[in-house]
């Protein structure tokens, strides 16, 4: 265990891992598992998110094992529940608490953990005032408050400014659904209260264009590296204020989703010389159409832009064609174009250009690509660096799916989303033959009418040994398909398995109980299957499922015997969420589960 002075030293050296790793080495020499945990989390934190580091999977597995075995011990001195905190780089770093809970545990956390990120839940003004004035607040670098959108949020916002002197190190402030008055925004923008702020989020705060003008033209605006103003109706006038601001030279991330922007607003942003440092831009949910995409394509080249999100913008294939031919997007690593009425012609434009050759993430969910679009995408050989490909609801059919999964271009994929595409048994058989997809870690196949044949084909796909997530929701697998799938020992790395609404019975529960290779499972979703009391009992008594964190048994038709089996499952100590909705359980049955010691820290959804 570290002393308060050692924790203070770690907090002071937060920008590097040097102090943490020095303490980790000492703890390891003393046989304290916390030492290894610090080393593993620091190693993971240093990884490039797009890298395929050979040790990543091993480190992630070891992280889960250490947290499962010792997380309670790590949290105990802080008085924190599992659902209230997140570990980063070996220590609790983020907490999500009501103001009342802050007052209960803040003394302990100030001494025992370098916590710097607080999400405040609830809005009791008296408790909030005391929480914000607590000495532990002076260590915070990030604060998030959800206002709830009612009149009380005005009191909360005023209180925040009144206690700003306690938040001297704050770098990030996020306010959501707050009723902010213009005079409050101007006082915030003046920069006096929060002189170190670098990241600001004001989401659903009913901001007007004049509020935006006050923010971006202020001393605070000149320091910002990230600005999120989502879901505010300030329209093109507010967007033009951002574009005209000459002090946003440090801004690297700008999010303006659903701000009533038209193509005129996009044109102003695209022409702005003051936004040359942007790396991340999100303009989703603004219906600016192809004209807006064309304006972006004609922008002054910004070689630093790495991420562009344009969900639900109505750009259509015409707009995608303009983006694909624009050389300024050559550095993009992530492009999200979901639900934009893009068809096969738009995909052909991508295949014909080299602008997106550095993409690691391509999102095309909800576009009508069809089998022709799937074939065109398969021919886009410049997309060889893709790690994530989102094609949910794109009407590929089995033919388009076969083209995608058979293309060696996509050999580097770690995530493939083919949900809602009528893939069918033929499409999944092609996937099962695609041995070049051996790097896949996440495979989303929900709503594809795979049937037992499709499940059997997946069961024979030996190259899918790296899968950590498999979603087969609503695929008419039946017990026959589930038995074949759950017997596939190459799926031993699965952490998340979705089998909702698949006409499964207690036979499938027996197959799960016998699948002793599935020791890594942390999320198991079985809703809307007729498991019954016997099926729930089989699952509750399966020792290899002891690592479950999320278990969904909604609408699985069990009663007293199933409740007794769950209450007796003393090994399910890691469950954070147990969903039991729509099973007809009564108050006494829920109380019996809530009183079981292993569920003391579990949220039970009724």
């Amino acid at each position: 265990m570290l002393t308060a002075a050692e924790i203070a030293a770690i907090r002071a050296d937060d920008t590097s891992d040097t102090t943490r790793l020095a303490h980790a080495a000492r703890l390891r020499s003393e046989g304290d598992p916390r030492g290894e945990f610090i080393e593993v989390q620091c190693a993971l934190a240093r990884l490039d998110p797009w890298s395929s580091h050979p040790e990543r999977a091993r480190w992630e597995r070891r992280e889960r094992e250490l947290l499962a075995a010792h997380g309670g011990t790590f949290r105990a001195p802080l008085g924190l529940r599992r659902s209230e905190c997140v570990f980063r780089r070996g220590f609790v770093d983020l907490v999500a608490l009501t103001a009342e809970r802050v007052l209960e545990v803040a003394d302990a956390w100030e001494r025992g953990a370098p916590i710097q990120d607080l999400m405040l839940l609830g809005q009791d003004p008296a408790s909030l005032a005391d929480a914000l004035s607590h000495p532990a607040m002076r260590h915070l670098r990030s604060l998030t408050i959800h206002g709830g959108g009612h009149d009380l949020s005005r009191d909360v916002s005023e209180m925040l400014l009144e206690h700003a002197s306690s938040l001297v190190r704050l770098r990030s402030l996020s306010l959501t659904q707050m009723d902010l008055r213009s005079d409050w925004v101007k006082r915030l923008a003046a920069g006096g209260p929060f002189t170190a702020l670098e990241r600001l989020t004001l989401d659903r705060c009913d901001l007007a264009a004049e509020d935006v003008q006050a923010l971006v033209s202020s001393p605070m605006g000149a320091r910002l590296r990230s600005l999120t103003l989502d879901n505010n109706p300030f329209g093109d006038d507010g967007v033009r204020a951002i574009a005209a601001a000459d002090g946003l030279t440090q801004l690297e991330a700008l999010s303006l989703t659903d701000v009533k922007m038209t193509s005129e607003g996009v044109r102003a942003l695209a022409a702005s010389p003051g936004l040359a440092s942007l790396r991340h831009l999100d303009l989703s949910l603004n219906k600016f159409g192809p004209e807006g995409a064309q304006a972006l394509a004609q922008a002054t080249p910004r070689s630093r832009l790495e991420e562009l999100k344009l969900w639900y913008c109505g750009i259509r294939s015409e707009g995608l064609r303009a983006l694909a031919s624009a050389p300024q997007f050559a550095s993009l690593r992530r492009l999200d174009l979901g639900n934009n009425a893009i068809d096969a012609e738009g995909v052909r434009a991508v295949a014909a250009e080299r602008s997106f050759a550095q993409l690691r993430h391509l999102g095309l969910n909800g576009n009508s690509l069809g089998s022709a679009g799937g074939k065109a995408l398969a021919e886009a050989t410049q997309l060889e660096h893709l790690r994530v490909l989102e094609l949910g609801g794109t009407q590929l059919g089995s033919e388009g799916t076969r083209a995608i999964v058979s293309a060696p271009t996509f050999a580097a994929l770690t995530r493939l989303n083919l949900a809602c595409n009528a893939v069918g048994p033929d499409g999944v058989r092609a996937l099962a033959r695609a041995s070049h997809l051996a790097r896949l870690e996440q495979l989303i196949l929900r709503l594809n009418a795979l049937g037992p044949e499709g499940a059997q084909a997946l069961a024979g796909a030996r190259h899918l040994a790296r899968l950590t997530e498999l979603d087969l929701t609503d695929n008419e697998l039946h017990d026959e398909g589930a038995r074949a799938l759950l017997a596939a020992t190459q799926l031993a790395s699965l952490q998340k398995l979705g089998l909702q609404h698949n006409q499964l019975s207690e036979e499938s529960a027996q197959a799960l109980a016998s699948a002793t290779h599935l020791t890594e499972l942390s999320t198991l979703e079985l809703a809307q299957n007729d498991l019954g009391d016997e099926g729930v009992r089989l699952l509750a008594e399966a020792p290899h499922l002891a690592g479950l964190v999320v278990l969904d048994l909604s609408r699985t038709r069990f009663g007293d015997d199933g409740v007794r089996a769950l209450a007796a499952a003393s090994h399910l100590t890691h469950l954070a969420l147990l969903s039991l909705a729509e099973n007809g359980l009564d108050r006494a049955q829920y109380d019996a589960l809530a009183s079981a010691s292993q569920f003391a820290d579990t949220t039970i959804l009724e």
Side-chain angles (χ1 to χ4, degrees), residues 430-495:
L431 174 62
R433 292 191 299 268
S435 58
H436 58 280
L437 295 178
R439 296 185 185 180
L440 277 180
E441 297 174 4
Q442 296 173 301
L443 180 57
I444 314 301
L445 290 169
R446 58 170 52 219
L447 281 161
N448 272 305
L450 303 185
E453 293 177 65
Q456 290 163 355
L458 281 175
R462 306 299 300 179
H463 61 281
L464 296 180
R466 290 193 184 184
L467 281 186
T468 60
E469 178 179 354
L470 179 59
D471 188 349
L472 296 172
T473 298
D474 211 338
N475 269 296
E476 303 171 24
L477 300 185
H478 300 280
D479 290 326
E480 179 185 356
R483 283 196 304 270
L485 187 76
L486 295 168
T489 55
Q490 76 270 21
L491 299 179
S493 295
L494 279 180
Q495 299 167 29

Side-chain angles (χ1 to χ4, degrees), residues 486-554:
L486 295 168
T489 55
Q490 76 270 21
L491 299 179
S493 295
L494 279 180
Q495 299 167 29
K496 183 174 182 178
L497 177 60
L499 293 172
Q500 304 101 307
H501 199 210
N502 270 299
Q503 293 81 52
L504 307 184
S505 73
E506 67 183 63
E507 291 184 41
S508 294
Q510 177 63 68
L512 266 167
S514 301
T516 55
H517 55 284
L518 294 180
T519 57
E520 298 289 319
L521 275 184
S522 60
T523 298
L524 180 58
E525 298 170 334
L526 294 167
Q528 299 183 64
N529 287 296
D530 193 7
L531 303 183
D533 285 311
E534 180 61 14
V536 171
R537 183 191 67 77
L538 288 165
L539 294 172
E541 294 177 357
H544 62 281
L545 299 181
L548 284 178
V549 176
V550 176
L551 177 60
D552 188 354
L553 295 174
S554 304

